[in-house]
Amino acid sequence: MKKKIALLILGILIIISVGFLIKYINYNENYVTSNAGFIKTDSLTYLSFKVDGKINYLPFTSGDKVQKHQLIAALDTLELNTTLNQTKFNILSLQNKIDSMQAGKEKLINDIKLNSKLNENQLKILNKNIEANRLNINSMKVELKKLKDDYKRYSFLYQRKKVSKNEYETVTTNYNSMKFKIESAQKSLDAISLSKNDLLIKQKLIENEKNDIQKLSKTIKSLINSKKAMTSQAKLIEEKIKDSFIYAPFNGIIAKKYVNKFEVIKKGENIVTLVNPKDIYASIFLEETKLKGLKIGNPATIHIDALDKDYKAQVETILPTSASTFAIVPRDLSSGEFTKLTQRFIVKLKILNPDEKLKVGMSCKVTIKK
């Protein structure tokens, strides 16, 4: 009886063992497991300033959450803002001066055009008057010559009493009157000539004013160049002010803080490291013997020991080279000695339902269904 019971128990144990063996073989055929897994991320972002300065805003510590576009750190910009305001004031003053000189230049150009036109018309009138007076004087000189001959002839006749006194006096009066008219006409011509000289002098002054326009144009150009230089300087200052603020490029968590408020830092010096909690994955090492049947898209389960929690995942990348390929000290096979070692390959798994509890660097166990 006891022998039958023992045989029955033995049979049951054999059946159970065979069942476990079949299950184990079936599991190994359909699943791949690894305990060499770690939570990693490719989104570690090191944030730094592009300029030197003293930090006057940095309220965060490691582990704090930040939102995209949220201000993380800022430098003291008081001196830069003061310089910028002064530069902008100087630019405005220069522009006002340029506008004033431009207006003066335009007025001067218009005045020169107007005065030059008036002067030109007056010169034309005076030249006509001069020509008319000269013709009139020449005509009167011809008449004077005739009157002079009459005067000489009548004087001769009057001395011999061949003509009356009245006739003689009439000829004399006509002769003297013509001389007086010529003298008056000559004085008028001289006066007109002086007026013409005045207009010619005025014309030279107008020409000199044209030179003043050129000088004014050079001064305006110089002021414009100065304004351009100041504008460029203002833009550089604005860029420095803009570079004095660090904003979060994405929703994330402060992974590490390197400096504190009121510290003086150099440009390029790390301020904080930001990590995106949604951009994390599991990285495992798999023996080359376990790669058979494994392909991208295979579902997987990740168990985090620290959290005692499972996460769904899928195979995203199977690196094409073994981990030893990039070893610092490669194996030396020149001696002819060789020991075959199973190589390990890195497999990257995308976590389908990550949460904030997952931390970069946590170890994990991974089970992948083929």
Side-chain angles (χ1 to χ4, degrees), residues 11-24:
I12 293 172
L13 289 174
I14 290 173
I15 293 172
I16 293 172
S17 297
V18 171
F20 274 111
L21 180 61
I22 293 172
K23 186 177 181 181
Y24 176 76

Side-chain angles (χ1 to χ4, degrees), residues 67-263:
Q67 300 296 316
K68 187 177 181 180
H69 303 311
Q70 184 177 356
L71 180 63
I72 292 178
L75 299 177
D76 184 4
T77 58
L78 178 60
E79 184 176 348
L80 285 173
N81 281 316
T82 300
T83 304
L84 178 62
N85 291 334
Q86 183 61 48
T87 303
K88 286 184 175 180
F89 176 78
N90 292 339
I91 291 172
L92 182 61
S93 297
L94 270 178
Q95 186 59 54
N96 290 335
K97 191 171 183 180
I98 290 169
D99 292 341
S100 176
M101 296 186 77
Q102 287 280 22
K105 176 184 172 182
E106 292 299 323
K107 184 178 182 304
L108 186 58
I109 290 173
N110 292 331
D111 289 345
I112 287 173
K113 286 181 179 179
L114 179 61
N115 292 333
S116 181
K117 188 68 178 177
L118 290 174
N119 210 56
E120 183 180 347
N121 291 335
Q122 289 178 351
L123 277 172
K124 287 180 179 179
I125 293 171
L126 287 179
N127 284 331
K128 288 181 179 180
N129 288 336
I130 289 171
E131 183 64 23
N133 276 271
R134 282 177 178 170
L135 290 174
N136 185 40
I137 289 172
N138 290 335
S139 175
M140 287 191 293
K141 283 182 177 180
V142 171
E143 183 68 20
L144 179 66
K145 184 177 180 182
K146 181 180 177 183
L147 291 174
K148 185 178 181 180
D149 291 340
D150 290 342
Y151 170 72
K152 288 181 178 180
R153 184 164 55 85
Y154 270 82
S155 293
F156 178 78
L157 293 175
Y158 178 71
Q159 288 176 0
R160 287 165 177 70
K161 297 181 180 182
K162 297 292 185 179
V163 293
S164 66
K165 182 178 180 181
N166 186 43
E167 290 176 325
Y168 169 72
E169 287 178 352
T170 299
V171 171
T172 302
T173 299
N174 290 336
Y175 172 65
N176 291 330
S177 176
M178 184 59 66
K179 286 199 297 183
F180 178 77
K181 286 181 179 180
I182 291 174
E183 289 176 359
S184 298
Q186 187 61 50
K187 287 180 180 180
S188 178
L189 178 61
D190 292 341
I192 295 173
S193 298
L194 288 175
S195 297
K196 179 181 178 180
N197 290 335
D198 290 340
L199 290 178
L200 292 174
I201 292 172
K202 189 177 180 180
Q203 190 65 37
K204 288 182 179 180
L205 293 176
I206 292 173
E207 293 298 324
N208 289 334
E209 287 181 344
K210 290 181 180 180
N211 294 331
D212 291 338
I213 291 176
Q214 293 179 354
K215 292 178 181 178
L216 198 57
S217 297
K218 290 181 179 179
T219 303
I220 292 172
K221 185 177 180 180
S222 177
L223 291 176
I224 291 174
N225 290 334
S226 297
K227 182 195 169 187
K228 287 181 179 179
M230 284 189 182
T231 303
S232 298
Q233 183 183 358
K235 287 182 179 179
L236 290 175
I237 297 172
E238 286 174 343
E239 284 296 321
K240 284 187 176 181
I241 292 175
K242 181 181 177 181
D243 292 338
S244 297
F245 297 87
I246 295 178
Y247 296 90
F250 50 80
N251 296 336
I253 298 174
I254 304 293
K256 187 175 181 180
K257 175 182 173 183
Y258 298 92
V259 295
N260 295 306
K261 189 177 178 181
F262 303 124
E263 284 190 35

